[in-house]
Amino acid sequence: MQADNEQINPLQLVLLLMNAMIGVGVLVVPARAARPAGSAGWLAVILAGLFALVLVWLIARLCQEFPDKTIVEMAIDLLGNNMGVGAVILLLLLWLLSAAFILRTFGEINRDFLLPNTPIEITILGILLAGGYLARKGIEPLARLGQFSLPISILLGLGSFLLSFPGADSTNLLPLWGRGWQGVLRGAASTNFAFVGYEVLLVLLPFLNKPKRAKAAGLVAVGTVTILYTLLTIVCLAVFGACSTAKILWPTLIVARTIELPGLFLERIDVFIYTVWLVQVFLLQSIMVYVLSLLWARIMKIKEHKILVWPLVPVIYFLALFPLNIAQLASFNTIASVSLTIYVLILVLGLSLLARGKGGKARA
Amino acid sequence: MRRWSLGLLLLALVLGGCWDQTEVEERAYVLGVALDVPRDKGDRRKVTVAMPLVREVGAASGGGGGNKVPLISFDSIAPTIQEALVPIQNRMNRQLFFGHQKVLLFSEESARRPISPWLDFFERFSTIPRTTLIAVSRGEAGKLLSTAPPSEQLPPLYLHQLLMETANYGFGPHRTLNKLACYFESRASGILLPMVKEHKDSVEVDGSAVLKYNRLVGTMGKHETRGALWLTGEVGGGTIVTGGRGQNKLSFVIKSSRRRIKPHYRDDGITFEVRLTVEGNVEEYFGSRNVMNPRVLEQTEQEIAQVIKREITRAIGILQADLRTDALGLGMMVRKRNPKKWQKIGEWNDYFAEHVKIELAEITVFIRRTGVLR
Amino acid sequence: MQKPQPLLKKDQQAPQLPLYQSLEQNLDRVRAILGDSNDIVIREFKLGTKGHKAALLFVDGLIDKALVCENILNAVMIQVRQVEADGEEQLSPQELLTLLSERGISMLEIKTSDDFDRIFLAALSGEAILFLDGVAKALVISARGWEYRSIQEPETQTLIRGPRVGFTETLRVNTSLLRRYLRDPNLKLKTIYIGRRSKTEVCIAYIETIANPTIVEEVNKRLATIDVDAIMESGYIEQHIQDDWISPFPQLQSTERPDHVVIALLQGKVAILVDNTPFALLAPVTLNDFFVSPEDYYERWTIGTLVRLIRYLASFMALILPALYIALVSFHPEMIPTKLVLSLAAGREGVPLSAFLEALVMLVSFELLREAGIRLPGPIGQTIGIVGGLIVGQAAVEASIVSPLMIVVIAFTGISSFAIPTYSMAIALRILTLPLMFLSALFGLYGFILGLFLIGGHLSALKSFGVPFLAPFAPLSIKDLRDTLFRHSLLGMHWRPEHLKTQDQTRMQDLRTDSELAVEEKEKSLAQARPRGGKS
C-alpha cells in the first residue's frame, strides 16, 4: 500500500501530539513540580504549559509557511544543503537521546511496579519491537490507533483520579505560592520534561490534510495536556501534601494506590491506571520510532521510511541501556529534554527569521 | 529465515522461564505486621508477620466453619525489617508477599521510640498498599495480631475491619500508612494514632496514642480522643448520652459533624476560634417528657453540646498542659495560611502549649429525628 | 505462472471453435468433446414435411424436462409442420432457424451462437441447444430447472424477529430474493464466470446511484485476477480478494440472509453472490459490521442498543478474559481483592499446573467439546456439550487438575464467543486469545497490554477495499458512531455511513421531531431548498 498519500485530519493530529507528550512524563510531573515549588507545583505546571504553548505556536507558524515540507526540507531550503542537513542531524540526535531515555525510564517504572524480576533488556525490547511494527505501517494507522485509544485512556485515567477526591485534603494546596516564585520557575523548568513531544509537529505537518488548522491543533493538544497535568498535580498535592509528593518518585501511580472503594469489587483501581499508561507508552514509542525513521529517511532522501525502522531499533535499544542506574537516568532525562527544547526554540526562531527574510523572494 | 529466528527467540523466552511468574498459591500473603520491642530492649524490634493458612481458609468456607483460626505467624528479631524478614523467609516455602497487607501494629513500647524509620520499608516497597491501617497496641502487638473472636476467620482482616468501622465513632482515628507517611514527610508537630487492646478474645479500640514528632508521649482514653477528634473534624458517628444519673437518660446518635476553625493572631499568641455543628438523631430515651416538644428538644441539644464541650476541653487540657503536643493539625493550618508568622514561631509544640488558646465559640447541635415515638 | 485467462462475460463473443454447417459434423464434435457421459443427451428429430434434420442437446438433470418437451420439442415440431404445410417454398435452413427462434419456440430466453465454447458452457449450465442442419449457428435456449433446496431460514443466522428467508444454492433464486426487497431500477446485478473448470456464475450486486464507483471498480478488478480451477464456495473468492491474508480478522462479511445483503447495499456496499452456495459476500466491511445483525433494526432502538452493547462486551470478554486472569493471578495478585485472592489460592492448592497451562488445557478441552458437538448428529451433539461442560469440568476440579475459578473463566469466555453474531469474527477472537494468553504468561500485565496493543495496531492498519477497518471509530465520525455501540432511533438515521463515501448521502428526512409545527417547518425548508445536493 502506498505510504505517500497518507493523510491525517486535524483531530488526529491533536491526538497524535497529545500521545507524543503523555508517556512517561505524566508519572513524574507532580514530583518534578513539587520538589522546587512546593504546594505551588500546579502553578509551575501551568507555567511550563504556557511556555510549551508558545513554542508549539511558533513551530506551527513556521511549518505552515512550508505546508508540504518537513523540517528537513525546510532547513535545507533556508540554510543550504550542508548547514541544513547538519542542523537536522543534530535535531535527530537529540530526539534519539530523548526517546531512548524515555524508553529506559519506562523500563525502570515497569520494573518497580509490574515486573520486578524480568530483565529490563527484555521489556524495553518488547516495546521497541511493538513500536517498530506499528511504525512501519505509516502515520495513518498510528493516528487511527491514537484516535481510538486516547479518549478511552483519558476517560479511564481521569475517572480514576477523580475517585481519589474523598481522600484529598484541599488545604494541602496552601500556601498558594509554595516556596516562592523562584521555586515556581524552577518547577516549570523541571516539568518541561513532561511536555516534550509536541515538536514532532515539525515532521508531521505535511500529512495534515488541512494545513491551516495546524496552529489550532497544536494549541489544543498542548492546552489539553497542560490541563490534564495540572489536574493531576493538584490531586497529588491534595492527597499527599507537597513534601510527600516531592519525595515519591512516581506520584501518579501511587495516588492510584491510595484510592479505596470498599464497596466495589475492585479494591485496587490501579489496574486501570497501569493499563491506560502502558498503552500510552507503547503508542508514544511507536510515534517516536516513526518520526525518527521518517526524519532519517528524509535526510538520506529515501522515499520509504519503512526500511529504516529495523536498523533504528537497535540504536535506540543500546542508547536506552546506557545509563547505569535510575539516578543517572533522571539527570540524563533532564539534560536531554532541556537541550531538545532549547535547540528546537533556537532552530524554529532562526528558521522563521530566515523565512521572513527570504519571504519576499521565495514567494515569487 | 526470519520466521525461524523469531521462533527460536520465543522458544528461548519460554524455556528461559518467566521471571516474575509466581502462582497465586505459591505466595504467602502477609496480612498484618506487628512491631514489638524485644525483652533486651535496645535498637532491635521483634517483627511478627501474620499469614493465612490458605488451605484452612478454603476448607472452612466450603465445609462450614472449623474452630481453629487459620492463621500462622512468624516472628524474628532484627535491627531492620528487611533483616527480620530473612530468617522468616528462610522458614517458608512460599514467597512472602506484602501486596495484601492490611494492618501495621506498633506496640506501645515500640512507639515510644522513633517510629518513622520503621515505616520506610512499607513506603518504599510499592506493592504494599498505602491504605494499610496503622494502630498502636497496649501490650504485645504480635499477640494482638492473632486475636480475634471465634466467629471471625482471619484476625488481621478482623482488625482492619474493626478499625475501619470504629473510625467514625471517634474513639480511634482512621490512620493509613499514607497519612502517616505524609505526616512524617511534612514534619508536622503531632498526630493521633488509634490504640487497640485485647478484650477477652476480641480486640477493642481504646482511645488514641499521641505522637509528638516521632514518638509516643502519652495516650488518651476513648472520650478524650473523641474530644480531640471533634476539633479535627473526624467524628461522624457514635453516641452521646446525656441526662446524668437521673431518669432522663437520652442517647443521641451522631450522624455528622462539621467544624470551622479560624485562627486569630494576637501579639502574644494565637486564638483558634472553633465553631462546631453536630447533627444526629435521638435513638433512646428513658424519661417521660415529650421529645418532640421544641423546648425539650432545645434543652436536650444544649445538654448534648455541654457534653461535647466537656470532652473537647478535657482533650485540649491533656494535649496542651500534660503532653505539650499539637496533635490537632493546628500548626499545619498556621503554616499553610500564614507562612510568615510560622517562620517567626520557633518550636510549635511549646508555642502551642503556652501561647495558643482554643476558644469554643459555638457548639450547635441539631437533633434531626427522634424516631416514631413521642 | 500462467497469465490469468480472461473471464467469459455473459455477452462476450470470441468465437474460438466455430460451428459447422453440417449437423452430422456438429454432433460428432459434440460427442467427441462431451464424451460418454450418460447424462448428456442428444435428441435428434426431423422438422416439417421436408424433414429438416435437427437435434437438441441438453444435460439431463439440469433442465426442466416438462418445459423442454412442451415449449421446444412440441412447439418446434408443430410450428414448422404448419408453415411448410401451407404449400410455400421450402425454407432455407437459415430462415428456418430464424422462424423457430422468432415464432416457434415459446421459451423465455433464446440466443444464437456460433461458437462451441459458448455452447458447451451453456449446455453444461442447463440450457438446451438446438442444432439445425445446414446452418452454422445454434439456438441457445434457457431451460434451467433442477432440484434445489426450498427457501428456509438459515441455520447459522436465526433471528427472533425478521423474515425467515435465506439464500439457497441457486444463483437465480438468490438474485430474485434481492429484487424482492429492492424494486429500484438502479439495483444492478452483473454476472461473471470465475474458475477455469467450474466456470461458476458469480453475481456482483450494487445500487448504482449509491455505491462509490471506486469501490465497485476495485471489486471488479480483484475478481478479475482470480485464476483457479474451481470456485467451490464464496469462501474461495473471499480468500482471493481480501486485503490481508495473514490477518485473523475477516475483511469481507458472509451472510445467508437476503435482508442483511439488502441493508448493506443500501449503505453503499457491494455484494457478491456465488452460485452453489447460500453464502453471499459483502464488501467493504468495518469492524462494527461484525457486531451488527439486521434484527437490531427491526426491533426498537432501546433493544437494539442493549443487544449491541452486550455483543461488544461479549467480544471483549472472549478475547481478554483468560489472558487477564493469567496476568493477574500469576503476576499481580495485589490487584485482586483480598478475599478473592485467598479463596483463589485455596482453590489452586493441589493443582499441579501453572495458571497458564491450566487455562490452556481448559481452553483446548472446551474447543474439543465444541468441535465434537458439531460433528455428532442432533441431540447427541447437544448432550455432549452439556455433559462435557458440567460433568467433566466438575470431575476435573475434584481431581485437582484445574481450579474452580478457571472453569468459570473459560465458561464465560466460551459463552461470550457464542454471543458474537458473525462466526468469522468469533473465530478470529478465539484465535487471538491464545497469543494473548501466551504473552500474559510471560510478562503479566505488561505482556497483556503489549498483545492488545499489537492487535490494536494491526486493526488500525487493516483496510477492507480501501476503507479503514476501524471506521467509524477511527477516523472518527461522530455521526456514524450513532450506529455502533448504540443503535440510534431509525427516525434519526437519515444518512449513509461516511466511510463508504457514497454518492447519495441522504436516506430520508430526519423524522425525530414530531410536533406538527416542526413538520411544517421542514416541509417549507424542503420546498425552498430543492433540489438538494449530496449533503445530509
Side-chain angles (χ1 to χ4, degrees):
Chain A
M1 273 178 275
Q2 11 64 308
D4 288 330
N5 297 343
E6 292 198 296
Q7 292 229 308
I8 55 177
N9 61 46
L11 177 64
Q12 286 176 323
L13 180 65
V14 169
L15 291 171
L16 270 177
L17 289 179
M18 283 174 68
N19 268 322
M21 289 192 268
I22 302 179
V24 163
V26 69
L27 297 183
V28 286
V29 159
R32 277 180 174 252
R35 223 167 294 152
S39 52
W42 57 284
L43 284 174
V45 174
I46 293 185
L47 199 58
L50 285 174
F51 177 71
L53 276 172
V54 168
L55 196 51
V56 82
W57 188 83
L58 285 173
I59 294 178
R61 193 180 66 160
L62 173 65
C63 291
Q64 275 182 321
E65 303 276 323
F66 306 87
D68 285 327
K69 306 196 175 170
T70 68
I71 184 75
V72 183
E73 288 92 27
M74 273 189 252
I76 294 181
D77 269 358
L78 293 172
L79 293 173
N81 206 3
N82 291 335
M83 281 221 21
V85 170
V88 181
I89 287 186
L90 184 56
L91 183 66
L92 177 67
L93 287 174
L94 283 175
W95 250 339
L96 196 60
L97 286 173
S98 192
F101 296 145
I102 289 182
L103 181 62
R104 172 64 180 274
T105 314
F106 162 77
E108 295 287 341
I109 300 176
N110 194 32
R111 188 165 60 176
D112 266 349
F113 283 88
L114 290 176
L115 298 173
N117 296 323
T118 308
I120 234 185
E121 292 87 353
I122 304 269
T123 49
I124 294 183
L125 190 63
I127 316 180
L128 264 185
L129 291 178
Y133 167 72
L134 200 57
R136 292 191 82 236
K137 294 189 183 270
I139 190 73
E140 268 191 30
L142 271 175
R144 272 183 238 140
L145 190 58
Q147 198 171 24
F148 191 51
S149 66
L150 191 61
I152 303 178
S153 297
I154 293 187
L155 271 173
L156 275 181
L158 214 57
S160 310
F161 277 107
L162 295 178
L163 285 173
S164 63
F165 258 77
D169 178 10
S170 55
T171 65
N172 273 333
L173 293 171
L174 301 167
L176 208 56
W177 281 107
R179 310 235 177 97
W181 60 270
Q182 299 107 320
V184 175
L185 278 178
R186 269 184 285 135
S190 184
T191 319
N192 180 55
F193 161 69
F195 283 93
V196 161
Y198 52 82
E199 311 91 15
V200 300
L201 184 56
L202 287 169
V203 174
L204 289 181
L205 196 104
F207 296 105
L208 190 59
N209 60 8
K210 292 190 196 148
K212 293 219 190 299
R213 301 288 209 98
K215 279 200 202 114
L219 290 176
V220 168
V222 176
T224 316
V225 171
T226 311
I227 294 177
L228 278 172
Y229 284 171
T230 313
L231 277 174
L232 189 60
T233 312
I234 292 180
V235 167
C236 282
L237 285 173
V239 171
F240 294 127
C243 303
S244 276
T245 311
K247 186 172 183 201
I248 301 173
L249 275 182
W250 327 110
T252 315
L253 289 176
I254 307 282
V255 157
R257 286 188 186 254
T258 63
I259 300 171
E260 203 174 29
L261 297 166
L264 211 56
F265 172 74
L266 297 158
E267 276 177 10
R268 303 279 288 254
I269 303 289
D270 46 351
V271 181
F272 290 130
I273 308 275
Y274 287 130
T275 315
V276 155
W277 171 70
L278 276 169
V279 172
Q280 281 311 117
V281 172
F282 287 143
L283 213 52
L284 171 73
Q285 274 308 119
S286 312
I287 295 177
M288 286 313 296
V289 171
Y290 173 76
V291 164
L292 286 170
S293 61
L294 188 67
L295 200 61
W296 194 7
R298 291 297 169 106
I299 292 178
M300 300 190 21
K301 304 238 187 347
I302 299 175
K303 214 147 202 268
E304 281 285 328
H305 73 276
K306 278 199 237 190
I307 51 178
L308 290 177
V309 167
W310 294 129
L312 193 60
V313 161
V315 176
I316 305 182
Y317 183 64
F318 287 111
L319 271 178
L321 291 179
F322 182 65
L324 289 174
N325 55 43
I326 203 163
Q328 256 189 10
L329 182 64
S331 53
F332 281 177
N333 263 332
T334 313
I335 297 175
S337 66
V338 168
S339 321
L340 182 64
T341 311
I342 294 181
Y343 181 65
V344 167
L345 183 64
I346 297 176
L347 189 65
V348 168
L349 281 178
L351 288 178
S352 301
L353 284 172
L354 282 173
R356 290 284 133 132
K358 286 195 180 171
K361 302 177 229 164
R363 301 290 171 79
Chain B
M1 179 56 205
R2 203 184 299 168
R3 297 222 188 104
W4 281 117
S5 45
L6 204 67
L8 221 61
L9 178 67
L10 261 117
L11 201 65
L13 282 177
V14 176
L15 292 177
C18 327
W19 299 263
D20 272 291
Q21 181 191 27
T22 321
E23 284 307 322
V24 79
E25 70 273 14
E26 288 168 19
R27 298 187 199 247
Y29 295 96
V30 175
L31 295 179
V33 176
L35 291 173
D36 288 292
V37 177
R39 257 180 302 247
D40 59 353
K41 313 286 170 171
D43 271 339
R44 302 190 300 161
R45 294 281 183 277
K46 178 166 115 174
V47 177
T48 314
V49 292
M51 294 157 288
L53 266 176
V54 170
R55 204 178 312 126
E56 300 285 328
V57 171
S61 56
N67 262 337
K68 206 164 58 162
V69 168
L71 190 80
I72 189 170
S73 351
F74 287 100
D75 57 65
S76 83
I77 303 178
T80 66
I81 296 196
Q82 195 62 257
E83 270 189 68
L85 291 179
V86 169
I88 296 178
Q89 181 67 86
N90 259 351
R91 289 185 257 155
M92 303 252 348
N93 62 330
R94 299 174 206 245
Q95 210 183 70
L96 285 174
F97 183 67
F98 288 84
H100 283 284
Q101 185 184 346
K102 296 276 181 243
V103 287
L104 177 60
L105 277 181
F106 288 93
S107 73
E108 192 177 340
E109 216 184 319
S110 69
R112 284 190 192 271
R113 296 141 192 256
I115 62 172
S116 70
W118 297 96
L119 285 183
D120 185 277
F121 171 81
F122 300 100
E123 272 184 78
R124 199 169 284 270
F125 193 11
S126 73
T127 24
I128 297 180
R130 288 199 134 221
T131 51
T132 307
L133 291 180
I134 304 200
V136 178
S137 74
R138 283 191 207 281
E140 201 185 322
K143 192 149 157 290
L144 204 98
L145 204 56
S146 330
T147 312
S151 60
E152 297 299 326
Q153 282 224 324
L154 293 164
L157 294 182
Y158 159 73
L159 195 58
H160 177 89
Q161 270 181 314
L162 180 73
L163 287 168
M164 295 277 292
E165 287 293 325
T166 57
N168 250 353
Y169 299 158
F171 291 155
H174 182 255
R175 294 289 177 250
T176 59
L177 178 65
N178 189 38
K179 280 211 192 105
L180 202 58
C182 294
Y183 158 76
F184 280 123
E185 197 53 44
S186 61
R187 279 168 300 219
S189 47
I191 196 172
L192 293 173
L193 288 179
M195 281 208 79
V196 287
K197 77 165 193 233
E198 213 178 310
H199 182 82
K200 296 192 198 154
D201 57 358
S202 58
V203 176
E204 187 187 4
V205 173
D206 188 36
S208 61
V210 181
L211 251 67
K212 181 172 181 173
Y213 295 122
N214 213 347
R215 307 160 175 256
L216 186 148
V217 290
T219 64
M220 294 206 287
K222 299 204 243 293
H223 288 276
E224 293 148 4
T225 308
R226 190 161 75 179
L229 293 182
W230 285 118
L231 292 176
T232 60
E234 285 177 81
V235 178
T239 318
I240 296 181
V241 179
T242 69
R245 299 209 182 92
Q247 297 286 53
N248 288 330
K249 281 210 178 43
L250 181 137
S251 298
F252 172 76
V253 171
I254 306 161
K255 286 294 172 206
S256 73
S257 79
R258 262 195 332 268
R259 69 108 167 84
R260 246 180 291 239
I261 303 187
K262 218 166 137 187
H264 291 285
Y265 300 97
R266 307 183 318 257
D267 286 328
D268 59 339
I270 308 178
T271 307
F272 288 96
E273 184 190 315
V274 176
R275 286 172 197 278
L276 188 65
T277 315
V278 181
E279 289 190 16
N281 304 332
V282 171
E283 296 206 354
E284 193 179 1
Y285 181 45
F286 281 9
S288 52
R289 288 182 292 171
N290 178 5
V291 191
M292 291 198 52
N293 184 329
R295 251 187 353 101
V296 175
L297 270 181
E298 215 180 298
Q299 197 179 5
T300 317
E301 285 172 355
Q302 307 272 17
E303 288 171 18
I304 297 172
Q306 284 304 316
V307 174
I308 296 179
K309 188 164 181 181
R310 278 202 295 273
E311 280 182 1
I312 299 181
T313 319
R314 213 168 128 61
I316 296 176
I318 296 180
L319 287 175
Q320 266 190 316
D322 299 337
L323 300 175
R324 295 174 71 91
T325 310
D326 167 26
L328 304 167
L330 297 174
M332 285 305 290
M333 206 179 284
V334 174
R335 191 158 126 191
K336 287 178 196 169
R337 296 193 195 182
N338 207 333
K340 292 204 181 76
K341 178 93 183 181
W342 177 259
Q343 301 273 1
K344 294 207 202 106
I345 297 171
E347 169 65 33
W348 171 252
N349 276 327
D350 290 333
Y351 192 86
F352 172 74
E354 290 155 22
H355 300 291
V356 161
K357 196 155 109 65
I358 301 178
E359 186 190 310
L360 300 174
E362 202 180 309
I363 301 182
T364 325
V365 177
F366 291 109
I367 297 181
R368 292 300 182 200
R369 291 170 51 221
T370 54
V372 299
L373 297 178
R374 283 184 181 272
Chain C
M1 249 187 50
Q2 278 184 310
K3 259 172 60 172
Q5 267 190 351
L7 295 171
L8 281 176
K9 293 218 168 34
K10 216 172 184 171
D11 308 318
Q12 195 177 21
Q13 303 276 353
Q16 310 261 352
L17 281 172
L19 264 63
Y20 301 103
Q21 281 219 336
S22 146
L23 182 67
E24 227 22 76
Q25 284 183 303
N26 282 333
L27 291 185
D28 278 341
R29 160 134 287 154
V30 167
R31 284 192 198 95
I33 295 191
L34 286 182
D36 286 326
S37 310
N38 250 2
D39 58 342
I40 305 217
V41 179
I42 301 178
R43 166 68 155 99
E44 298 185 52
F45 55 95
K46 292 204 171 76
L47 294 175
T49 45
K50 302 297 191 291
H52 295 272
K53 285 205 254 174
L56 192 66
L57 165 69
F58 59 89
V59 177
D60 187 13
L62 288 182
I63 53 146
D64 185 340
K65 286 197 213 164
L67 216 59
V68 165
C69 288
E70 271 295 312
N71 296 15
I72 303 182
L73 288 179
N74 197 10
V76 153
M77 290 175 182
I78 294 179
Q79 188 67 355
V80 177
R81 206 186 311 147
Q82 284 182 345
V83 162
E84 293 197 329
D86 288 355
E88 293 183 18
E89 330 89 64
Q90 190 170 359
L91 295 164
S92 77
Q94 176 62 51
E95 286 173 340
L96 187 56
L97 199 70
T98 320
L99 175 75
L100 289 177
S101 74
E102 284 177 5
R103 301 208 223 150
I105 300 173
S106 53
M107 294 283 275
L108 292 172
E109 263 183 77
I110 300 187
K111 293 200 185 77
T112 339
S113 175
D114 59 356
D115 169 32
F116 264 116
D117 271 341
R118 280 229 50 236
I119 284 175
F120 289 145
L121 180 61
L124 291 168
S125 303
E127 328 269 18
I129 317 289
L130 183 68
F131 293 97
L132 199 59
D133 194 20
V135 192
K137 287 211 183 98
L139 292 179
V140 177
I141 310 161
S142 171
R144 295 189 195 187
W146 52 68
E147 293 295 322
Y148 58 86
R149 189 166 57 92
S150 61
I151 296 179
Q152 315 157 316
E153 178 162 36
E155 276 182 30
T156 59
Q157 289 173 279
T158 47
L159 304 180
I160 310 276
R161 172 172 178 170
R164 306 214 177 283
V165 173
F167 286 133
T168 62
E169 285 76 6
T170 308
L171 187 62
R172 186 51 67 216
V173 172
N174 297 342
T175 54
S176 74
L177 288 173
L178 287 185
R179 290 267 183 216
R180 292 265 294 121
Y181 285 97
L182 287 174
R183 288 164 223 190
D184 185 351
N186 290 311
L187 172 64
K188 300 288 181 226
L189 304 167
K190 306 233 155 111
T191 313
I192 55 175
Y193 296 89
I194 307 184
R196 280 202 226 164
R197 289 184 195 274
S198 67
K199 298 201 178 39
T200 315
E201 266 182 83
V202 172
C203 172
I204 305 166
Y206 58 96
I207 302 183
E208 193 161 34
T209 49
I210 297 181
N212 189 338
T214 331
I215 296 181
V216 178
E217 201 186 298
E218 183 68 26
V219 172
N220 277 324
K221 205 167 65 157
R222 293 195 196 185
L223 284 173
T225 63
I226 302 180
D227 178 28
V228 284
D229 262 359
I231 297 289
M232 299 301 302
E233 211 268 348
S234 58
Y236 275 55
I237 294 187
E238 179 185 354
Q239 291 169 57
H240 272 97
I241 66 177
Q242 64 186 352
D243 284 72
D244 183 355
W245 64 274
I246 305 186
S247 169
F249 290 98
Q251 291 129 60
L252 285 102
Q253 194 171 13
S254 68
T255 174
E256 261 189 292
R257 301 194 61 97
D259 52 339
H260 196 180
V261 172
V262 168
I263 292 180
L265 289 180
L266 287 169
Q267 286 181 330
K269 298 198 180 127
V270 175
I272 302 172
L273 292 107
V274 178
D275 200 17
N276 291 326
T277 173
F279 285 92
L281 294 172
L282 297 172
V285 287
T286 62
L287 183 68
N288 185 47
D289 293 328
F290 292 100
F291 294 99
V292 162
S293 142
E295 189 177 22
D296 296 350
Y297 299 104
Y298 301 153
E299 294 283 6
R300 302 173 70 248
W301 70 273
T302 36
I303 301 177
T305 304
L306 190 67
V307 175
R308 291 258 180 99
L309 286 173
I310 291 181
R311 286 191 200 131
Y312 269 103
L313 183 69
S315 62
F316 207 51
M317 287 214 305
L319 182 66
I320 66 167
L321 214 53
L324 191 61
Y325 172 84
I326 294 174
L328 288 182
V329 161
S330 299
F331 288 81
H332 313 289
E334 67 264 21
M335 299 193 198
I336 311 177
T338 311
K339 296 225 174 106
L340 186 60
V341 157
L342 293 178
S343 73
L344 208 63
R348 281 190 54 92
E349 264 298 308
V351 176
L353 307 166
S354 71
F356 168 61
L357 285 175
E358 193 191 359
L360 200 61
V361 162
M362 281 314 296
L363 208 65
V364 168
S365 334
F366 193 84
E367 294 294 330
L368 276 174
L369 284 166
R370 198 207 294 248
E371 275 300 308
I374 297 178
R375 304 293 154 217
L376 289 170
I380 309 180
Q382 295 174 359
T383 321
I384 287 282
I386 301 175
V387 167
L390 290 177
I391 298 184
V392 173
Q394 188 70 17
V397 169
E398 283 180 12
S400 285
I401 301 180
V402 294
S403 67
L405 190 63
M406 177 52 75
I407 307 275
V408 175
V409 166
I410 294 294
F412 260 102
T413 312
I415 295 174
S416 302
S417 69
F418 290 143
I420 304 172
T422 326
Y423 181 67
S424 39
M425 179 55 82
I427 288 272
L429 292 176
R430 290 212 314 256
I431 293 175
L432 286 174
T433 309
L434 280 172
L436 214 57
M437 275 166 60
F438 193 63
L439 279 172
S440 296
L442 283 178
F443 298 117
L445 196 63
Y446 164 83
F448 175 68
I449 301 291
L450 186 66
L452 278 186
F453 179 75
L454 286 172
I455 295 176
H458 175 77
L459 280 176
S460 310
L462 199 59
K463 282 192 183 192
S464 165
F465 289 84
V467 174
F469 199 66
L470 282 184
F473 297 109
L476 195 64
S477 160
I478 309 237
K479 257 194 325 177
D480 288 338
L481 279 181
R482 286 197 242 180
D483 193 21
T484 57
L485 288 173
F486 329 99
R487 207 224 82 200
H488 197 82
S489 158
L490 278 179
L491 299 178
M493 303 238 296
H494 57 287
W495 68 96
R496 301 187 210 278
E498 219 176 283
H499 56 263
L500 290 171
K501 296 193 175 51
T502 55
Q503 303 175 47
D504 170 16
Q505 280 279 322
T506 324
R507 269 201 256 242
M508 60 188 211
Q509 299 160 249
D510 188 341
L511 289 175
R512 275 168 301 172
T513 49
D514 51 5
S515 69
E516 283 195 29
L517 214 65
V519 173
E520 254 184 65
E521 288 270 24
K522 275 216 163 64
E523 296 198 87
K524 242 192 277 172
S525 65
L526 268 180
Q528 283 173 357
R530 244 182 223 129
R532 271 216 192 151
K535 296 209 184 96
S536 58

